[in-house]
Amino acid sequence: MKGNKSFVFRFADVEVREREFSLINAGKVLAVEPKAFRVLLLLLRNPQKLISKEELLHAVWGDTAVTEGSLTHCIWLLRRLMGDNLNEPRFIETVATVGYRFVCKVEVSEIASEDLQSTDKAIGLSEADFVETPANGEIAEAKANPLAQIDKLVFSSNQLIEEVPPTKAKRRPLYFGLAILGVAVATAGTSALWRAAFRTPSPPKVLRFTRLTNDGQGKFGPMATDGSRIYFNELLPGPRNLVVQVSVKGGEATSLSVPLALPVVLDLSRDGTELLVADSSLENEAGIRFQANSRLSNVSPEPQALWVQPVAGGSPHRIGTILGADARFGPSATSIIYAIGHDISR
């Protein structure tokens, strides 16, 4: 953005205003994390173009060491604010293990600074709606060393007192009052920072319970979620296992098509497109399949074959000849962490 012009992006009922660092959905101004907003701007500047995760991480975080989980969180937050859906995206499409693409048609316009105030009034915005936030470095410094911030406040108040210039006698009471006010503000700030730095966090409290399923079937974990769906295991008579999913808001649980004898879901990939599944059935020397130790029992489970199952359906892929008692996706899209015996491997 150059000069006194600012870009405004419009798509569907959403308007993104670069100057104000704001996202307006159906006329309502929504708060957006700075990193998530920068991710959205990069996607909007390149509509219909696939942008790799590496490019997004470098453009938004620079040389700061972060994992793909930070980017995944930003994408999840943007989808929630804009009412987007991972499985049927209207705005941000996930390309598994590669990156993201903005698929909606975007209208881009430039607005000169003199036109911005009239636009704000047209949608009912004022300067009070846009709050200036401290730079990331200041936030990090405050968290890392709260006592240093206390020293800054005390120094500022002392400096205020020392820098009051000599003036006529009738103005001295005014300056004296301002000095007392500055000391009072500094003292209050010092006390607040001190309490924040050394306060013992209160234990978490359960505020309410929400029943998500009500079908009477036995269920067991581990559970995995992409923010909109929850994936878990359902135990049926037989015994039989099913991999099922339900909305985070509750509703009817639906089973996924997993062509394994006794599938047990273990984890969900970071992009939400693949499940890590174990086949809890074993085959004896006579070729007869039987169930390994139940994950609900107190007995350590037998090593099981590990598979990657696409969430959208299709054939699962066996992960080599690995057998594990438990497993999770690794920090990268191509690694698996699994446990067998007394060891953990990757």
Side-chain angles (χ1 to χ4, degrees), residues 1-2 4-11 14-20 41 44-45 47 105-113 115-116 119:
M1 184 171 58
K2 298 181 180 180
N4 58 353
K5 291 186 177 182
S6 173
F7 289 102
V8 176
F9 304 87
R10 296 182 179 89
F11 52 92
V14 181
E15 181 177 292
V16 177
R17 309 178 73 182
E18 189 175 31
R19 184 196 71 142
E20 295 88 345
L41 282 181
L44 289 174
R45 289 168 181 161
K105 182 180 179 181
V106 180
E107 295 180 2
V108 184
S109 59
E110 283 186 344
I111 301 181
S113 58
D115 298 331
L116 288 171
T119 303

Side-chain angles (χ1 to χ4, degrees), residues 113-231:
S113 58
E114 57 267 18
D115 298 331
L116 288 171
Q117 293 182 356
S118 60
T119 303
D120 293 342
K121 292 180 180 179
I123 63 173
L125 298 180
S126 64
E127 288 296 328
D129 293 317
F130 307 105
V131 180
E132 182 180 356
T133 58
N136 291 337
E138 296 176 359
I139 297 175
E141 182 183 356
K143 290 183 178 179
N145 194 355
L147 294 180
Q149 305 306 306
I150 295 175
D151 293 339
K152 284 185 178 181
L153 285 173
V154 175
F155 173 78
S156 298
S157 64
N158 292 336
Q159 189 180 44
L160 174 64
I161 298 173
E162 292 173 358
E163 291 183 355
V164 174
T167 184
K168 296 181 180 179
K170 64 180 180 180
R171 293 186 179 180
R172 287 177 181 174
L174 174 62
Y175 290 132
F176 184 71
L178 290 176
I180 293 177
L181 178 61
V183 172
V185 171
T187 303
T190 299
S191 177
L193 285 174
W194 185 271
R195 289 196 301 270
F198 298 99
R199 179 180 55 190
T200 302
S202 58
K205 297 180 180 180
V206 178
L207 300 180
R208 66 178 184 273
F209 295 92
T210 302
R211 175 170 291 184
L212 301 181
T213 61
N214 192 25
D215 53 17
Q217 299 293 344
K219 297 169 179 63
F220 62 97
M223 297 183 181
T225 180
D226 58 6
S228 61
R229 310 289 296 176
I230 304 173
Y231 301 90

Side-chain angles (χ1 to χ4, degrees), residues 70-315:
S70 299
L71 177 59
T72 303
H73 171 75
C74 288
I75 295 295
W76 172 83
L77 179 62
L78 291 172
R79 282 176 172 151
R80 188 186 67 171
L81 291 174
M82 298 186 297
D84 203 5
N85 188 288
L86 170 67
N87 299 320
E88 297 179 359
R90 294 191 302 148
F91 305 130
I92 301 176
E93 177 186 57
T94 299
V95 179
T97 72
V98 179
Y100 302 92
R101 178 189 293 114
F102 199 87
V103 296
C104 184
K105 182 180 179 181
V106 180
E107 295 180 2
V108 184
S109 59
E110 283 186 344
I111 301 181
S113 58
E114 57 267 18
D115 298 331
L116 288 171
Q117 293 182 356
S118 60
T119 303
D120 293 342
K121 292 180 180 179
I123 63 173
L125 298 180
S126 64
E127 288 296 328
D129 293 317
F130 307 105
V131 180
E132 182 180 356
T133 58
N136 291 337
E138 296 176 359
I139 297 175
E141 182 183 356
K143 290 183 178 179
N145 194 355
L147 294 180
Q149 305 306 306
I150 295 175
D151 293 339
K152 284 185 178 181
L153 285 173
V154 175
F155 173 78
S156 298
S157 64
N158 292 336
Q159 189 180 44
L160 174 64
I161 298 173
E162 292 173 358
E163 291 183 355
V164 174
T167 184
K168 296 181 180 179
K170 64 180 180 180
R171 293 186 179 180
R172 287 177 181 174
L174 174 62
Y175 290 132
F176 184 71
L178 290 176
I180 293 177
L181 178 61
V183 172
V185 171
T187 303
T190 299
S191 177
L193 285 174
W194 185 271
R195 289 196 301 270
F198 298 99
R199 179 180 55 190
T200 302
S202 58
K205 297 180 180 180
V206 178
L207 300 180
R208 66 178 184 273
F209 295 92
T210 302
R211 175 170 291 184
L212 301 181
T213 61
N214 192 25
D215 53 17
Q217 299 293 344
K219 297 169 179 63
F220 62 97
M223 297 183 181
T225 180
D226 58 6
S228 61
R229 310 289 296 176
I230 304 173
Y231 301 90
F232 52 93
N233 307 288
E234 193 167 82
L235 185 63
L236 301 179
R240 292 187 299 127
N241 291 356
L242 291 178
V243 176
V244 296
Q245 61 176 341
V246 69
S247 169
V248 294
K249 298 179 180 179
E252 181 180 0
T254 58
S255 61
L256 299 180
S257 177
V258 181
L260 298 175
L262 289 170
V264 176
V265 63
L266 300 176
D267 197 9
L268 179 68
S269 64
R270 294 181 182 276
D271 58 11
T273 60
E274 295 177 325
L275 289 170
L276 181 60
V277 180
D279 187 358
S280 60
S281 67
L282 301 176
E283 187 174 287
N284 61 19
E285 297 178 354
I288 300 175
R289 301 189 70 84
F290 62 96
Q291 185 180 16
N293 291 334
S294 171
R295 297 182 64 84
L296 296 178
S297 69
N298 294 324
V299 182
S300 298
E302 298 288 345
Q304 304 166 29
L306 302 178
W307 300 74
V308 173
Q309 170 69 47
V311 172
S315 300

